[in-house]
Amino acid sequence: MYVRLAFAVAAHLETEILIIDEVLAVGDVEFQKKCLGKMGDITRGEGRTILFVSHNLPMIASLCTKGIVLDKGKLVFDGLSSTAINYYQNGENLTPGKVSYPDENKRPGDSLAELIEAYLVAPSGEVSAELNIAEPFSVKMKYVIKQGSLRNAYPNFHFLDQFGQYVFVTSPNPIKNDLNPNGGVYEAECMIPANFFNAGNFSISIAFTADYKGANTSFYEQNALNFSMIEDLDNSPTRIGNYGGAMPGSIRPILDWNINKR
């Protein structure tokens, strides 16, 4: 009740900057929803600034445009919220929306295949680590097959959530793609539909597998790519009513429903 009262008082004061420190971590769902609604009114309707302090990374990704990371009271990062979240999770080893290995002597791989580069592509065609829930995007990888021919050879993407738990693994459809390729440079693309991922932070591990004296994995670059899924809370097709709280789960697909009166 003290927290409710404190937020109510602070939210209605005519301050230029409002600091919210983990207020959404307490209280019931209705209280959190009211807090989010009021914060939206302050930033969009009144044009005031909110400094939102929280460890709820999906909420930060959805509410904030810029973020800072503090380490023992010192500022260690200042920039886009998605990049700040990646920095918080990975420190200076953060990997954005693209990895590239131009030096042939340092490419991940073996005598069968090597990884050249991998990247995330937004609908605009630009490489980006910040993607919108309501828009499709694609994951691409370029690799070289060094043998004359391989059997059942295929690239694969491993999607994980911010806690390192598997969301799904995907590989090419053998009916539509030749999985017995000859040597040369190839580019593989996986298309992710709109309204599939939930808001939050995810990573992609990049791999290439083939049948060669048994199952052989030429490379597996763990967490090679990191990206943030954000959403426009005012125009979200996967929310009903004015609910603005965090949606559970890693994926948030729009599925076909039928409701009939009997």
Side-chain angles (χ1 to χ4, degrees), residues 42-120:
I42 291 174
T43 54
R44 291 186 290 271
E46 303 174 22
R48 291 190 281 155
T49 299
I50 290 182
L51 177 59
F52 182 50
V53 184
S54 177
H55 291 89
N56 188 327
L57 302 183
M59 194 62 64
I60 291 175
S62 294
L63 291 176
C64 304
T65 56
K66 295 189 64 177
I68 63 174
V69 180
L70 302 178
D71 184 11
K72 298 179 182 178
K74 295 183 178 180
L75 178 66
V76 294
F77 182 86
D78 181 0
L80 291 175
S81 60
S82 59
T83 311
I85 290 169
N86 281 335
Y87 188 98
Y88 175 76
Q89 291 180 310
N90 301 286
E92 296 180 353
N93 298 319
L94 102 93
T95 53
K98 181 177 182 177
V99 289
S100 182
Y101 305 94
D103 189 341
E104 295 184 11
N105 297 317
K106 296 182 180 181
R107 289 174 179 169
D110 58 12
S111 61
L112 301 183
E114 292 178 347
L115 176 63
I116 299 175
E117 62 181 5
Y119 48 97
L120 295 153

Coordinates of all heavy atoms in Angstrom, one line a residue, residues 42-120:
I42 N 2.2 9.9 -19.4 CA 3.2 10.9 -19.0 C 4.2 11.1 -20.2 O 4.5 12.3 -20.6 CB 4.0 10.5 -17.8 CG1 3.0 10.5 -16.6 CG2 5.2 11.4 -17.6 CD1 3.7 10.0 -15.3
T43 N 4.7 10.0 -20.8 CA 5.7 10.2 -21.9 C 5.1 10.6 -23.2 O 5.6 11.5 -23.8 CB 6.4 8.9 -22.1 OG1 5.5 7.8 -22.3 CG2 7.2 8.5 -20.8
R44 N 4.0 10.0 -23.6 CA 3.4 10.3 -24.9 C 2.4 11.5 -24.9 O 2.4 12.3 -25.8 CB 2.7 9.1 -25.5 CG 3.7 7.9 -25.8 CD 2.9 6.8 -26.5 NE 2.1 6.1 -25.6 CZ 2.5 5.0 -24.9 NH1 3.7 4.6 -25.0 NH2 1.6 4.4 -24.1
G45 N 1.6 11.5 -23.8 CA 0.6 12.6 -23.8 C 1.1 13.9 -23.2 O 0.7 15.0 -23.7
E46 N 2.0 13.8 -22.2 CA 2.4 15.0 -21.5 C 3.8 15.4 -21.9 O 4.3 16.5 -21.6 CB 2.3 14.9 -20.0 CG 0.9 14.5 -19.6 CD 0.9 14.2 -18.1 OE1 1.8 14.6 -17.3 OE2 -0.1 13.5 -17.6
G47 N 4.5 14.6 -22.6 CA 5.9 14.9 -23.1 C 6.9 15.0 -22.0 O 8.0 15.6 -22.2
R48 N 6.7 14.4 -20.9 CA 7.7 14.4 -19.8 C 8.6 13.2 -19.9 O 8.3 12.2 -20.6 CB 7.0 14.5 -18.4 CG 6.3 15.8 -18.2 CD 5.9 15.9 -16.7 NE 4.6 15.2 -16.5 CZ 4.3 14.7 -15.3 NH1 5.1 14.8 -14.2 NH2 3.1 14.1 -15.1
T49 N 9.7 13.2 -19.2 CA 10.7 12.1 -19.2 C 10.5 11.2 -18.0 O 10.3 11.7 -16.9 CB 12.1 12.7 -19.2 OG1 12.3 13.5 -20.4 CG2 13.1 11.6 -19.2
I50 N 10.6 9.9 -18.3 CA 10.6 8.9 -17.2 C 11.9 8.1 -17.2 O 12.4 7.7 -18.3 CB 9.4 7.9 -17.4 CG1 8.1 8.6 -17.1 CG2 9.6 6.7 -16.5 CD1 6.9 7.7 -17.2
L51 N 12.5 8.1 -16.0 CA 13.7 7.3 -15.9 C 13.3 6.0 -15.2 O 12.9 5.9 -14.0 CB 14.8 8.0 -15.0 CG 16.0 7.2 -14.6 CD1 16.8 6.8 -15.9 CD2 16.9 8.0 -13.7
F52 N 13.2 4.9 -16.0 CA 12.7 3.6 -15.5 C 13.9 2.7 -15.1 O 14.7 2.3 -15.9 CB 11.9 3.0 -16.7 CG 11.2 1.7 -16.3 CD1 10.5 1.5 -15.1 CD2 11.3 0.6 -17.1 CE1 9.9 0.3 -14.8 CE2 10.7 -0.6 -16.8 CZ 10.0 -0.8 -15.7
V53 N 13.9 2.4 -13.8 CA 15.0 1.5 -13.3 C 14.4 0.1 -13.0 O 13.5 0.0 -12.2 CB 15.6 2.1 -12.0 CG1 16.8 1.3 -11.5 CG2 16.0 3.5 -12.2
S54 N 14.9 -0.9 -13.7 CA 14.3 -2.2 -13.6 C 15.3 -3.3 -14.0 O 16.2 -3.0 -14.8 CB 13.0 -2.3 -14.3 OG 12.5 -3.6 -14.3
H55 N 15.1 -4.6 -13.6 CA 15.8 -5.7 -14.1 C 14.8 -6.5 -15.0 O 15.2 -7.6 -15.5 CB 16.2 -6.6 -13.0 CG 17.4 -6.0 -12.2 ND1 17.1 -5.2 -11.1 CD2 18.7 -6.1 -12.3 CE1 18.3 -4.8 -10.6 NE2 19.3 -5.3 -11.3
N56 N 13.6 -6.0 -15.3 CA 12.7 -6.7 -16.2 C 13.0 -6.3 -17.6 O 12.6 -5.3 -18.1 CB 11.2 -6.2 -15.8 CG 10.2 -7.0 -16.6 OD1 10.4 -7.4 -17.7 ND2 9.0 -7.2 -16.0
L57 N 13.9 -7.1 -18.2 CA 14.4 -6.7 -19.5 C 13.4 -6.6 -20.6 O 13.5 -5.6 -21.4 CB 15.5 -7.7 -19.9 CG 16.7 -7.8 -18.9 CD1 17.7 -8.8 -19.4 CD2 17.3 -6.5 -18.6
P58 N 12.4 -7.5 -20.8 CA 11.4 -7.3 -21.8 C 10.6 -6.0 -21.6 O 10.3 -5.4 -22.6 CB 10.5 -8.5 -21.6 CG 11.4 -9.6 -21.0 CD 12.3 -8.8 -20.1
M59 N 10.3 -5.6 -20.4 CA 9.6 -4.4 -20.1 C 10.4 -3.2 -20.5 O 9.9 -2.2 -21.1 CB 9.2 -4.3 -18.7 CG 8.2 -3.2 -18.4 SD 6.6 -3.5 -19.3 CE 6.1 -5.1 -18.5
I60 N 11.7 -3.2 -20.2 CA 12.6 -2.1 -20.6 C 12.6 -2.0 -22.2 O 12.6 -0.9 -22.7 CB 14.0 -2.4 -20.1 CG1 14.1 -2.2 -18.6 CG2 15.0 -1.4 -20.7 CD1 15.4 -2.5 -17.9
A61 N 12.7 -3.2 -22.8 CA 12.8 -3.2 -24.3 C 11.5 -2.6 -24.9 O 11.5 -1.9 -25.9 CB 13.0 -4.6 -24.8
S62 N 10.4 -2.8 -24.2 CA 9.1 -2.3 -24.8 C 8.8 -0.8 -24.4 O 8.2 -0.1 -25.2 CB 7.9 -3.1 -24.3 OG 8.0 -4.5 -24.7
L63 N 9.3 -0.4 -23.3 CA 8.9 0.9 -22.8 C 10.0 2.0 -23.1 O 9.6 3.2 -23.3 CB 8.7 0.9 -21.3 CG 7.5 0.2 -20.7 CD1 7.5 0.2 -19.2 CD2 6.2 0.8 -21.2
C64 N 11.2 1.6 -23.2 CA 12.3 2.6 -23.3 C 12.9 2.7 -24.7 O 13.1 1.7 -25.4 CB 13.4 2.3 -22.3 SG 12.8 2.1 -20.6
T65 N 13.3 3.9 -25.1 CA 14.0 4.1 -26.3 C 15.5 4.1 -26.1 O 16.3 3.7 -27.0 CB 13.6 5.4 -27.0 OG1 13.8 6.5 -26.1 CG2 12.1 5.3 -27.4
K66 N 16.0 4.6 -25.0 CA 17.4 4.6 -24.7 C 17.6 3.9 -23.3 O 16.7 3.9 -22.5 CB 17.9 6.1 -24.6 CG 17.8 6.8 -25.9 CD 18.6 8.1 -25.8 CE 20.1 8.0 -25.6 NZ 20.8 9.3 -25.6
G67 N 18.8 3.4 -23.1 CA 19.1 2.7 -21.9 C 20.5 3.0 -21.4 O 21.4 3.3 -22.3
I68 N 20.8 2.9 -20.2 CA 22.1 3.0 -19.6 C 22.3 1.8 -18.7 O 21.4 1.3 -18.1 CB 22.4 4.3 -18.8 CG1 21.5 4.4 -17.6 CG2 22.2 5.5 -19.7 CD1 21.8 5.6 -16.7
V69 N 23.6 1.4 -18.6 CA 24.0 0.3 -17.8 C 25.0 0.8 -16.7 O 26.0 1.4 -17.1 CB 24.6 -0.9 -18.6 CG1 25.0 -2.0 -17.7 CG2 23.6 -1.4 -19.7
L70 N 24.7 0.5 -15.5 CA 25.6 0.9 -14.4 C 26.3 -0.4 -13.8 O 25.7 -1.4 -13.7 CB 24.8 1.5 -13.3 CG 24.0 2.8 -13.6 CD1 23.3 3.3 -12.4 CD2 24.9 3.9 -14.2
D71 N 27.5 -0.2 -13.5 CA 28.3 -1.3 -12.9 C 29.0 -0.7 -11.6 O 29.9 0.1 -11.7 CB 29.4 -1.9 -13.8 CG 30.1 -3.0 -13.3 OD1 29.7 -3.5 -12.2 OD2 31.1 -3.5 -13.9
K72 N 28.5 -1.1 -10.4 CA 29.0 -0.6 -9.2 C 29.0 0.9 -9.1 O 29.9 1.6 -8.6 CB 30.5 -1.1 -9.0 CG 30.6 -2.6 -8.9 CD 32.1 -3.1 -8.7 CE 32.2 -4.6 -8.7 NZ 33.6 -5.0 -8.6
G73 N 27.8 1.4 -9.6 CA 27.6 2.9 -9.6 C 28.2 3.6 -10.7 O 28.0 4.9 -10.7
K74 N 29.0 3.0 -11.6 CA 29.6 3.7 -12.7 C 28.9 3.4 -14.0 O 28.5 2.3 -14.2 CB 31.1 3.3 -12.8 CG 31.9 3.7 -11.6 CD 33.4 3.3 -11.8 CE 34.3 3.7 -10.6 NZ 35.7 3.4 -10.8
L75 N 28.8 4.5 -14.8 CA 28.2 4.3 -16.1 C 29.1 3.6 -17.0 O 30.2 4.0 -17.3 CB 27.9 5.7 -16.7 CG 27.2 5.7 -18.1 CD1 25.9 5.1 -18.1 CD2 27.2 7.2 -18.6
V76 N 28.7 2.4 -17.6 CA 29.5 1.6 -18.5 C 28.9 1.6 -19.9 O 29.6 1.1 -20.8 CB 29.7 0.2 -17.9 CG1 30.5 0.2 -16.7 CG2 28.4 -0.5 -17.7
F77 N 27.6 2.0 -20.1 CA 27.1 2.0 -21.4 C 25.9 3.0 -21.4 O 25.2 3.1 -20.5 CB 26.5 0.6 -21.8 CG 26.0 0.6 -23.2 CD1 26.8 0.3 -24.3 CD2 24.6 0.8 -23.5 CE1 26.4 0.3 -25.6 CE2 24.2 0.8 -24.7 CZ 25.0 0.6 -25.8
D78 N 25.8 3.6 -22.6 CA 24.7 4.6 -22.8 C 24.4 4.6 -24.3 O 25.2 4.8 -25.2 CB 25.2 6.0 -22.4 CG 24.1 7.1 -22.6 OD1 23.0 6.7 -23.1 OD2 24.4 8.3 -22.4
G79 N 23.2 4.2 -24.6 CA 22.8 4.0 -26.0 C 21.4 3.5 -26.2 O 20.5 3.7 -25.3
L80 N 21.1 2.9 -27.3 CA 19.7 2.3 -27.6 C 19.4 1.3 -26.5 O 20.3 0.6 -26.0 CB 19.7 1.7 -28.9 CG 19.7 2.6 -30.2 CD1 19.8 1.8 -31.4 CD2 18.5 3.5 -30.2
S81 N 18.1 1.2 -26.1 CA 17.7 0.3 -25.1 C 18.1 -1.2 -25.4 O 18.5 -2.0 -24.6 CB 16.2 0.4 -24.8 OG 15.5 0.1 -25.9
S82 N 17.9 -1.6 -26.7 CA 18.2 -2.9 -27.1 C 19.7 -3.3 -27.0 O 20.0 -4.3 -26.5 CB 17.7 -3.2 -28.6 OG 18.4 -2.3 -29.4
T83 N 20.5 -2.3 -27.4 CA 21.9 -2.5 -27.2 C 22.4 -2.5 -25.8 O 23.3 -3.3 -25.4 CB 22.7 -1.4 -28.0 OG1 22.2 -1.3 -29.3 CG2 24.2 -1.8 -28.1
A84 N 21.7 -1.7 -25.0 CA 22.0 -1.6 -23.5 C 21.6 -3.0 -22.9 O 22.4 -3.5 -22.0 CB 21.2 -0.5 -22.8
I85 N 20.5 -3.6 -23.3 CA 20.1 -4.9 -22.7 C 21.1 -5.9 -23.1 O 21.5 -6.8 -22.3 CB 18.7 -5.2 -23.2 CG1 17.7 -4.3 -22.6 CG2 18.4 -6.7 -22.9 CD1 16.3 -4.4 -23.2
N86 N 21.6 -5.9 -24.4 CA 22.6 -6.9 -24.8 C 23.9 -6.7 -24.1 O 24.6 -7.7 -23.7 CB 22.8 -6.7 -26.3 CG 21.8 -7.4 -27.2 OD1 21.1 -8.3 -26.7 ND2 21.6 -6.9 -28.4
Y87 N 24.2 -5.5 -23.8 CA 25.5 -5.2 -23.1 C 25.3 -5.7 -21.6 O 26.3 -6.3 -21.1 CB 25.8 -3.7 -23.0 CG 27.1 -3.3 -22.5 CD1 28.2 -3.1 -23.3 CD2 27.3 -3.3 -21.1 CE1 29.4 -2.8 -22.7 CE2 28.5 -3.0 -20.5 CZ 29.6 -2.7 -21.4 OH 30.8 -2.4 -20.8
Y88 N 24.2 -5.5 -21.0 CA 23.9 -6.0 -19.7 C 24.1 -7.5 -19.6 O 24.6 -8.0 -18.6 CB 22.5 -5.5 -19.2 CG 22.1 -6.1 -17.9 CD1 22.6 -5.5 -16.7 CD2 21.2 -7.1 -17.8 CE1 22.2 -6.0 -15.5 CE2 20.8 -7.6 -16.5 CZ 21.3 -7.1 -15.4 OH 20.9 -7.6 -14.2
Q89 N 23.6 -8.2 -20.6 CA 23.6 -9.6 -20.6 C 25.0 -10.2 -21.0 O 25.4 -11.2 -20.4 CB 22.6 -10.2 -21.6 CG 21.2 -10.0 -21.2 CD 20.2 -10.5 -22.2 OE1 20.3 -10.3 -23.4 NE2 19.3 -11.3 -21.8
N90 N 25.7 -9.5 -21.9 CA 26.9 -10.1 -22.4 C 28.2 -9.2 -22.1 O 29.3 -9.7 -22.5 CB 26.8 -10.2 -23.9 CG 25.6 -11.1 -24.3 OD1 25.7 -12.3 -24.2 ND2 24.6 -10.5 -24.8
G91 N 28.0 -8.1 -21.5 CA 29.2 -7.2 -21.2 C 29.8 -6.8 -22.5 O 29.2 -6.5 -23.5
E92 N 31.1 -6.6 -22.5 CA 31.9 -6.1 -23.7 C 31.9 -7.2 -24.8 O 32.3 -6.8 -25.9 CB 33.3 -5.7 -23.3 CG 33.3 -4.6 -22.3 CD 34.7 -4.2 -21.9 OE1 35.7 -4.9 -22.3 OE2 34.9 -3.2 -21.2
N93 N 31.4 -8.4 -24.5 CA 31.4 -9.4 -25.5 C 30.1 -9.4 -26.3 O 29.8 -10.4 -27.0 CB 31.6 -10.8 -24.9 CG 32.9 -10.9 -24.2 OD1 34.0 -10.5 -24.7 ND2 32.9 -11.5 -23.0
L94 N 29.4 -8.3 -26.2 CA 28.1 -8.3 -26.9 C 28.2 -8.4 -28.4 O 29.2 -7.9 -29.0 CB 27.4 -7.0 -26.5 CG 27.3 -5.8 -27.5 CD1 26.0 -6.0 -28.3 CD2 27.3 -4.5 -26.8
T95 N 27.4 -9.2 -29.0 CA 27.4 -9.4 -30.4 C 26.1 -8.8 -31.0 O 25.0 -9.2 -30.6 CB 27.5 -10.9 -30.8 OG1 26.4 -11.6 -30.1 CG2 28.8 -11.5 -30.4
P96 N 26.2 -7.9 -31.9 CA 25.0 -7.2 -32.4 C 24.3 -8.1 -33.5 O 24.3 -9.3 -33.5 CB 25.5 -5.9 -33.0 CG 26.9 -6.3 -33.4 CD 27.4 -7.3 -32.4
G97 N 23.7 -7.4 -34.5 CA 22.9 -8.2 -35.5 C 23.8 -8.8 -36.6 O 23.2 -9.3 -37.6
K98 N 25.1 -8.7 -36.5 CA 25.9 -9.3 -37.6 C 27.3 -9.8 -37.0 O 27.8 -9.2 -36.2 CB 26.2 -8.3 -38.7 CG 27.0 -8.9 -39.9 CD 27.1 -7.8 -41.0 CE 27.9 -8.4 -42.2 NZ 28.0 -7.5 -43.3
V99 N 27.7 -11.0 -37.5 CA 29.1 -11.4 -37.3 C 29.7 -11.7 -38.6 O 29.1 -12.2 -39.5 CB 29.1 -12.6 -36.3 CG1 28.7 -12.3 -34.9 CG2 28.2 -13.8 -36.8
S100 N 31.0 -11.4 -38.7 CA 31.7 -11.7 -40.0 C 33.1 -12.2 -39.7 O 33.7 -11.7 -38.8 CB 31.7 -10.3 -40.8 OG 32.3 -10.5 -42.0
Y101 N 33.6 -13.0 -40.6 CA 34.9 -13.6 -40.5 C 35.6 -13.5 -41.8 O 35.7 -14.4 -42.6 CB 34.8 -15.1 -40.1 CG 34.0 -15.3 -38.8 CD1 32.6 -15.6 -38.9 CD2 34.5 -15.2 -37.6 CE1 31.9 -15.8 -37.8 CE2 33.8 -15.4 -36.4 CZ 32.5 -15.7 -36.5 OH 31.7 -15.9 -35.4
P102 N 36.1 -12.3 -42.1 CA 36.8 -12.0 -43.4 C 38.1 -12.8 -43.6 O 38.5 -13.0 -44.7 CB 37.0 -10.5 -43.4 CG 37.0 -10.1 -42.0 CD 36.1 -11.1 -41.3
D103 N 38.8 -13.0 -42.5 CA 40.1 -13.7 -42.5 C 39.8 -15.2 -42.7 O 39.3 -15.9 -41.8 CB 40.9 -13.5 -41.3 CG 42.3 -14.0 -41.3 OD1 42.6 -14.9 -42.2 OD2 43.1 -13.6 -40.5
E104 N 40.2 -15.8 -43.8 CA 39.9 -17.2 -44.1 C 40.6 -18.1 -43.1 O 40.2 -19.3 -42.9 CB 40.4 -17.6 -45.5 CG 39.6 -16.9 -46.6 CD 40.1 -17.3 -48.0 OE1 40.8 -18.3 -48.1 OE2 39.7 -16.7 -49.0
N105 N 41.7 -17.7 -42.5 CA 42.4 -18.5 -41.5 C 41.8 -18.5 -40.1 O 42.2 -19.3 -39.3 CB 43.9 -18.0 -41.4 CG 44.6 -18.1 -42.7 OD1 44.5 -19.1 -43.4 ND2 45.4 -17.1 -43.1
K106 N 40.8 -17.7 -39.9 CA 40.2 -17.6 -38.6 C 38.7 -17.9 -38.6 O 38.0 -17.6 -37.7 CB 40.4 -16.2 -38.0 CG 41.9 -15.9 -37.7 CD 42.0 -14.5 -37.1 CE 43.5 -14.2 -36.9 NZ 43.7 -12.8 -36.2
R107 N 38.2 -18.5 -39.7 CA 36.8 -18.8 -39.8 C 36.4 -20.0 -39.0 O 37.2 -21.0 -39.0 CB 36.4 -19.0 -41.3 CG 36.4 -17.8 -42.1 CD 36.1 -18.1 -43.6 NE 36.1 -16.9 -44.4 CZ 36.1 -16.9 -45.7 NH1 36.2 -18.1 -46.4 NH2 36.1 -15.8 -46.4
P108 N 35.3 -20.0 -38.3 CA 34.8 -21.2 -37.6 C 34.5 -22.3 -38.7 O 33.9 -22.0 -39.7 CB 33.5 -20.8 -36.9 CG 33.6 -19.3 -36.9 CD 34.3 -18.9 -38.1
G109 N 34.9 -23.5 -38.4 CA 34.6 -24.6 -39.3 C 35.7 -25.7 -39.3 O 36.6 -25.7 -38.5
D110 N 35.6 -26.6 -40.3 CA 36.6 -27.7 -40.4 C 36.9 -27.9 -41.9 O 36.7 -27.0 -42.7 CB 36.1 -28.9 -39.8 CG 34.7 -29.4 -40.3 OD1 34.3 -28.9 -41.4 OD2 34.1 -30.3 -39.7
S111 N 37.4 -29.1 -42.2 CA 37.8 -29.3 -43.6 C 36.6 -29.5 -44.5 O 36.7 -29.5 -45.8 CB 38.6 -30.6 -43.7 OG 37.9 -31.7 -43.2
L112 N 35.4 -29.6 -44.0 CA 34.2 -29.7 -44.8 C 33.5 -28.4 -45.1 O 33.1 -28.1 -46.3 CB 33.1 -30.6 -44.1 CG 33.6 -32.0 -43.8 CD1 32.4 -32.8 -43.1 CD2 34.1 -32.8 -45.0
A113 N 33.4 -27.5 -44.1 CA 32.6 -26.2 -44.3 C 33.1 -25.2 -43.3 O 33.6 -25.6 -42.2 CB 31.1 -26.5 -44.2
E114 N 33.0 -23.9 -43.7 CA 33.4 -22.8 -42.8 C 32.3 -21.7 -42.9 O 31.7 -21.5 -43.9 CB 34.7 -22.3 -43.2 CG 35.9 -23.2 -43.0 CD 37.2 -22.6 -43.4 OE1 37.2 -21.6 -44.2 OE2 38.2 -23.1 -43.1
L115 N 32.1 -21.0 -41.8 CA 31.2 -19.9 -41.7 C 31.9 -18.6 -42.1 O 33.0 -18.3 -41.6 CB 30.7 -19.8 -40.3 CG 29.7 -18.6 -40.0 CD1 28.5 -18.7 -40.8 CD2 29.4 -18.5 -38.5
I116 N 31.2 -17.9 -43.1 CA 31.8 -16.6 -43.5 C 31.2 -15.5 -42.8 O 31.9 -14.6 -42.3 CB 31.6 -16.5 -45.0 CG1 32.3 -17.6 -45.8 CG2 32.1 -15.1 -45.5 CD1 32.0 -17.6 -47.3
E117 N 29.8 -15.4 -42.7 CA 29.2 -14.4 -41.9 C 27.7 -14.8 -41.7 O 27.2 -15.7 -42.3 CB 29.2 -13.1 -42.7 CG 28.5 -13.1 -44.0 CD 28.6 -11.7 -44.8 OE1 29.2 -10.8 -44.2 OE2 27.9 -11.6 -45.8
A118 N 27.1 -14.1 -40.7 CA 25.7 -14.3 -40.4 C 25.1 -13.0 -39.9 O 25.8 -12.2 -39.3 CB 25.5 -15.4 -39.3
Y119 N 23.8 -12.7 -40.2 CA 23.3 -11.4 -39.8 C 21.7 -11.5 -39.9 O 21.1 -12.4 -40.5 CB 23.8 -10.3 -40.8 CG 23.7 -10.6 -42.2 CD1 22.6 -10.2 -43.0 CD2 24.7 -11.4 -42.9 CE1 22.5 -10.5 -44.4 CE2 24.6 -11.6 -44.2 CZ 23.6 -11.2 -45.0 OH 23.5 -11.5 -46.3
L120 N 21.1 -10.5 -39.2 CA 19.7 -10.3 -39.1 C 19.3 -9.2 -40.0 O 19.9 -8.2 -40.0 CB 19.3 -10.0 -37.6 CG 19.5 -11.1 -36.6 CD1 19.7 -10.5 -35.2 CD2 18.4 -12.1 -36.6

